[in-house]
């Protein structure tokens, strides 16, 4: 499924042993994908290959991270892999929805690629419908995390230090039996499947998600990228002088493809 | 999501996320139905060999092909019919048979412009030039299959592929309003291996191409 490409720096290569893999879930508001766009664009990551897959709707366009005329002509497709060896980071960006009944095979292939490429851990960026929040979830932070048992051993303590909130389980049969709890991530796309499969395959995976709704999801993407940054420290967080809080938002670079997200200019004849 | 009137509705997600899919476990009957549907949605390519006999496409003989022009959609197919194709210089060499909810094509090569069809033609004076007119809609789950089966029959060394397609002007993303744009207009996408001069400007971000032309 993974096809390495000859483009980009020779040192980038396709050796991901020990790397951290970032993957977005195609989920409500496309927040995971937008956050990944911010990471790739800000860190200037190099494309090292793509996934040749029949599981995603085909699409193609010119370089979405173009900064000038010269680098704007590289084709870009629906599932591409970028890497930054200096931070041992490899990122998969997914740009189109799953074809019906194909999300399961995609998850299987993705997880076997994770194992064969010997990535140290996977971080899945996702989101969930805000309207499904219960009363406690409506208060406080809308950001949550999940860790597979194998990753819990490695970084569980760090999550405590960061004061992060673990995603709550909900009753399997609400109102009837409140003791049996299950993981429920409405609007999360393949998040739950990837997470449960990773648990059983002993893959070190973390899920970082944000409760949100459809609309202008750019602020949600920034929030999720900042959340990720608290852990991975990918960009410098500026200490804001006014309220003494660390906020990396201003450090993320919006890619040129985010132009015109909400439509074209208006016809002058309208006025 | 609560609406203005206080009713709670399930909001559709732009991301195409469907909760029903993950909730349901597949029963053996579901699996059987799905397999039958998949079989029905399979694409068949029937090539007419030199001898004139029709045969199912197989992997053994690859077409020597230097130029492959694919016209996808009714407008592009009509363009080829009006300006390129004629019965003197071009011969039909293949047809695609497929079915989906939007259209069905048959194995006949004698088609009307209003039919849904997908035909392959070869230039008689240079048999390495192949042309495809695809006026039928190839569904999402069939696009990859179409791609693999068509290109699986061709020698890909030294092959130049040109894809012709159309999109509504209203889908074009630009700073000005599309009302003031002089239309129709041409835009192109090319791979870095394509070294020749392109006859029109390149497609700017954030515009993209999807479905069969993208595949």
């Amino acid at each position: 499924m993974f096809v390495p490409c000859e483009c980009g720096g020779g040192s980038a290569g396709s050796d991901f042993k020990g790397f951290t893999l970032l993957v977005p879930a195609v989920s409500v508001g496309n927040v995971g994908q937008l956050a990944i766009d911010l990471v790739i664009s800000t860190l200037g990551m190099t494309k090292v290959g793509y996934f040749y897959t029949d599981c995603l709707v085909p699409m193609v366009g010119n370089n979405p991270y173009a900064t000038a005329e010269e680098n704007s002509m590289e084709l870009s497709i629906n599932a591409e892999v970028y890497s930054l060896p200096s931070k041992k980071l490899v990122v998969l960006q997914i740009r189109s929805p799953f074809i019906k009944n194909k999300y399961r095979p995609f998850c299987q292939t993705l997880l076997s690629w994770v194992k064969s490429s010997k990535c140290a851990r996977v971080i899945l960026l996702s989101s969930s419908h805000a309207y499904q929040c219960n009363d406690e979830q409506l208060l406080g932070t809308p950001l949550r995390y999940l860790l597979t048992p194998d990753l819990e051993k490695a970084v569980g303590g760090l999550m405590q230090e960061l004061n992060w909130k673990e995603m709550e389980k909900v009753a399997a049969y609400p109102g009837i039996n409140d003791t049996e709890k299950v993981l429920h991530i409405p609007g999360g796309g393949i998040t739950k499947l990837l997470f449960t499969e990773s648990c059983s395959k002993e893959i070190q995976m973390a899920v970082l998600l944000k409760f949100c709704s459809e609309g202008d999801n750019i602020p949600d993407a920034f929030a999720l990228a900042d959340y990720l940054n608290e852990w991975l420290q990918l960009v410098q967080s500026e200490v804001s002088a006014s309220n003494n809080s660390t906020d990396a938002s201003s450090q993320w670079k919006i890619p040129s493809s985010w132009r015109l997200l909400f439509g074209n200019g208006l016809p002058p004849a309208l006025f | 999501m609560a609406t203005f009137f206080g009713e709670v509705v399930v909001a559709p997600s732009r991301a195409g996320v469907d909760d029903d899919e993950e909730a349901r476990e597949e029963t053996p009957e579901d699996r059987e139905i799905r397999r039958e549907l998949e079989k029905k949605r399979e694409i068949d390519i029937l090539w007419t060999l030199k001898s004139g006999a029709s045969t199912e496409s197989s992997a053994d003989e690859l077409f020597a092909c230097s130029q492959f022009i694919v016209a996808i959609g009714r407008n592009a197919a009509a363009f080829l019919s009006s300006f390129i194709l004629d019965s003197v210089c071009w011969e039909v060499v293949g047809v695609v048979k497929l079915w989906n909810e939007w259209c069905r094509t048959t194995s006949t090569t004698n088609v009307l412009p209003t039919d849904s069809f997908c035909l392959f033609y070869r230039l008689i004076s240079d048999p390495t030039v192949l042309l495809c007119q695809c006026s039928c809609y190839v569904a999402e789950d069939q696009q990859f299959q179409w791609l693999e089966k068509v290109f699986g029959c061709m020698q890909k060394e030294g092959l130049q592929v040109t894809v012709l397609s159309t999109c509504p002007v209203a889908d074009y993303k630009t700073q000005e309003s599309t009302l003031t744009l002089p239309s129709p207009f041409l835009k192109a996408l090319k791979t870095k291996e394509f070294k020749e001069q392109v006859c029109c400007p390149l497609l700017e971000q954030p515009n993209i191409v999807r479905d069969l032309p993208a595949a």
Side-chain angles (χ1 to χ4, degrees), chain A residues 90-165:
Chain A
V90 56
V91 172
L92 166 69
Q93 177 60 303
I94 298 176
R95 299 198 172 94
S96 61
F98 286 103
I99 291 175
K100 201 166 165 52
N101 294 323
K102 290 288 194 178
Y103 67 98
R104 274 180 201 278
F106 183 81
C107 290
Q108 299 300 334
T109 324
L110 176 63
L111 290 181
S112 51
W113 178 67
V114 166
K115 285 221 146 182
S116 64
S117 59
K118 298 191 172 51
C119 292
R121 59 191 180 183
V122 183
I123 302 179
L124 180 65
L125 299 184
S126 179
S127 53
S128 185
H129 283 306
Y131 69 80
Q132 295 263 24
C133 285
N134 60 30
D135 292 346
E136 290 97 43
Q137 288 171 326
L138 284 173
L139 308 165
T141 173
L143 295 156
R144 295 287 187 277
Y145 78 94
L146 279 168
L147 298 174
T148 56
D150 293 85
L151 191 55
E152 174 84 49
K153 291 179 206 141
V155 302
L158 177 61
M159 302 301 154
Q160 303 291 342
E161 275 175 52
L162 290 170
N163 207 16
W164 278 10
K165 267 191 110 152

Side-chain angles (χ1 to χ4, degrees), chain A residues 16 25 52 54 84 94 123 147 181 200 227 242 247 270:
Chain A
F16 307 127
Y52 185 62
D54 62 341
L84 190 65
I94 298 176
I123 302 179
L147 298 174
K181 301 272 191 190
S200 61
Y227 194 49
S242 51
D247 178 14
L270 194 65

Side-chain angles (χ1 to χ4, degrees), chain A residues 26-30 52-54 57-64 73 75 97 99 101 103 129 131 186-189 192 214-215 217 257 259-260 264-268, chain B residues 1 10-15 17 19 21-22 34 140-141 143-144 147-148 172-180 189-191 202-203 205-206 208-211 214-215:
Chain A
V26 180
S27 55
V28 59
N30 306 92
Y52 185 62
T53 173
D54 62 341
V57 174
M59 57 74 51
V60 65
N62 275 322
N63 183 8
M73 289 183 303
L75 286 186
I99 291 175
N101 294 323
Y103 67 98
H129 283 306
Y131 69 80
K192 184 174 159 185
E214 293 285 348
N217 298 108
S257 55
R259 282 178 59 232
L260 304 172
N264 297 336
L266 296 169
Chain B
M1 184 186 83
V10 175
S13 169
R14 196 176 50 216
V17 165
D19 271 340
E21 264 190 61
E22 52 165 286
R34 187 169 55 78
E140 271 174 9
D141 58 305
Q143 287 159 9
F144 193 83
L147 186 72
E148 293 271 285
Y172 183 67
K173 297 209 177 29
T174 173
Q175 200 61 43
E176 320 110 41
S177 153
T178 49
L179 271 182
T180 51
L189 284 173
K190 65 175 190 69
T191 61
L202 293 181
L203 185 65
Q205 275 284 351
I208 57 166
V209 175
R210 49 175 291 164
D211 293 326

